[in-house]
Amino acid sequence: MLLPLIFILLLVGGAVLAAQSSINGRLGAKAGVIESSWLTFVIGAVLTFLLMFFFEPAQQATLFSVPKWQLTGALFGVVYMLAIVFAVPRVGTAAATVAVISGQLLMSLLIDHFGWLSNTVRPLDASRYIAMALLIGAIGLIYLSHQQRHRRMVNQPS
C-alpha cells in the first residue's frame, strides 16, 4: 500500500518541479537569475525550518556530526536552480526539463553502477544501456526541434 503512494508523491514532486522551473524561469527573465534563485531558497528555507520545527522527530545525528561530504548536496541545489532559471526562458520548460531529467537519470545510473556516495552497487545491464541511449536520443530530438523552430522564426518575413 505504501509503495503506490510513494510513486504518486514522486509524480507530484516531478510535476511541481516542472511548474517551478517554468515559474522561476519567467521570474528570472524579468527580475534576474540570481534574484529569482535567492527568493526560491529563502522561501524554501523558511518553509523547511517550520516543517522541521513542528514535525521532524529528533535524530541521532545532526548536521554537525554527519560526514562533511554529505553536506555538499546543498550546493547542488544552487547549481540546479541557477541553471534552470537561466535556461527556461531560452530553451523552454520542456527542453530544460528533459535535459535535467536526463542528467539526473544518467548520473543515477553511474552512481548505482559504481556504488558511489555509499550507495548499493546495481550494475549496468542491457536495459540500462538502452535507457541511456533513449535519453540521449530524447535530448537530441528536443534540441533539433528547438533549432528548427528557431530557424523558422528567423526566416519568417515580418
Side-chain angles (χ1 to χ4, degrees):
M1 179 64 184
L2 183 61
L3 195 58
L5 292 175
I6 290 171
F7 278 98
I8 290 169
L9 177 64
L10 291 169
L11 285 171
V12 169
V16 169
L17 194 59
Q20 178 198 25
S21 297
S22 183
I23 292 166
N24 284 347
R26 296 291 142 229
L27 179 62
K30 293 187 188 297
V33 170
I34 294 174
E35 292 85 347
S36 174
S37 298
W38 176 84
L39 177 68
T40 298
F41 285 113
V42 167
I43 291 173
V46 170
L47 180 60
T48 304
F49 173 78
L50 291 172
L51 290 170
M52 181 184 69
F53 186 76
F54 289 109
F55 299 108
E56 183 71 15
Q59 304 290 326
Q60 288 181 338
T62 69
L63 292 177
F64 300 106
S65 63
V66 297
K68 299 308 175 223
W69 69 267
Q70 292 178 351
L71 301 177
T72 61
L75 298 174
F76 298 150
V78 174
V79 172
Y80 165 77
M81 184 58 59
L82 291 172
I84 207 73
V85 171
F86 178 79
V88 165
R90 291 160 179 81
V91 300
T93 304
T97 301
V98 167
V100 165
I101 291 170
S102 296
Q104 287 176 318
L105 289 172
L106 291 171
M107 180 55 86
S108 68
L109 288 169
L110 292 173
I111 289 169
D112 278 356
H113 180 72
F114 293 107
W116 291 340
L117 307 172
S118 301
N119 284 283
T120 302
V121 172
R122 291 178 178 88
L124 289 172
D125 57 14
S127 63
R128 289 180 176 231
Y129 282 115
I130 292 168
M132 288 192 308
L134 291 171
L135 287 170
I136 292 167
I139 293 171
L141 289 173
I142 294 270
Y143 176 78
L144 289 174
S145 171
H146 183 72
Q147 290 297 94
Q148 289 171 350
R149 182 175 175 268
H150 180 70
R151 277 192 223 110
R152 282 193 304 269
M153 289 176 63
V154 169
N155 293 332
Q156 275 185 348
S158 302

